[in-house]
Amino acid sequence: MFKLNTALPVASALLFSVAGAHATVRTEAGLSESVAGKSETYRLNVPTEKDLSTTRIRLIVPAGVTLSRFQVTPGFTRTVVKNDAGLIREVIWTGRVAPMEYARFYFQAKNPPQAAELVWKIHQTYSDGSVVAWDDSNPAEGPASRTTVR
């Protein structure tokens, strides 16, 4: 009698989802593409991938993107860094995301008026002070999140 082992596919799917997880920016609908000049609601998804809490998330805003407002994220404090023109260039959230949890941060932004590839650089700090740079500084370990603007 043949017995199907269902543990292997489930374990493989779990391993793939953990291995493939990283900090990402997507549209509210979960897409990695948007339209030039469009006002869009984006979500930054940050999973904690260590046995330590995430304590700080730093988002570097791509050139040409204009952030306008944020959804309140309970338990987090938000700080913005602006350039000389008054545009938001960085957003820093401080709070706590426990192991095996994730947090989502929603914000509204206007896309650049022309087609582009937006590169969202994210730095995730853990409670021991270590930082995971999702910014292409080491693409094999920390790829930056991208949005294609058409």
Side-chain angles (χ1 to χ4, degrees):
M1 175 183 216
F2 177 75
K3 183 176 179 184
L4 179 62
N5 183 350
T6 58
L8 185 58
V10 171
S12 296
L14 181 59
L15 180 61
F16 177 74
S17 67
V18 171
H22 56 274
T24 57
V25 174
R26 298 287 183 257
T27 66
E28 187 174 28
L31 303 175
S32 60
E33 65 178 47
S34 189
V35 177
K38 179 180 181 183
S39 290
E40 183 77 75
T41 298
Y42 285 101
R43 68 179 189 210
L44 166 59
N45 192 64
V46 182
T48 295
E49 299 177 327
K50 294 184 178 187
D51 288 331
L52 302 164
S53 294
T54 296
T55 57
R56 183 176 188 260
I57 299 104
R58 176 177 169 232
L59 173 69
I60 300 170
V61 180
V65 174
T66 305
L67 269 63
S68 58
R69 61 184 52 94
F70 301 88
Q71 180 173 313
V72 174
T73 308
F76 284 85
T77 301
R78 182 186 60 253
T79 304
V80 297
V81 177
K82 296 181 179 182
N83 65 13
D84 292 339
L87 298 173
I88 298 170
R89 295 294 82 191
E90 294 183 19
V91 185
I92 300 164
W93 288 271
T94 53
R96 182 178 177 275
V97 186
M100 298 180 64
E101 293 182 351
Y102 68 93
R104 281 193 175 154
F105 305 90
Y106 289 88
F107 56 93
Q108 291 181 336
K110 186 169 184 179
N111 292 332
Q114 69 284 348
E117 180 180 58
L118 306 179
V119 179
W120 304 92
K121 296 180 179 185
I122 304 157
H123 298 156
Q124 181 176 6
T125 304
Y126 285 91
S127 58
D128 66 353
S130 63
V131 177
V132 176
W134 304 104
D135 65 358
D136 285 343
S137 58
N138 185 349
E141 293 182 13
S145 187
R146 289 176 162 67
T147 303
T148 302
V149 174
R150 301 191 187 284

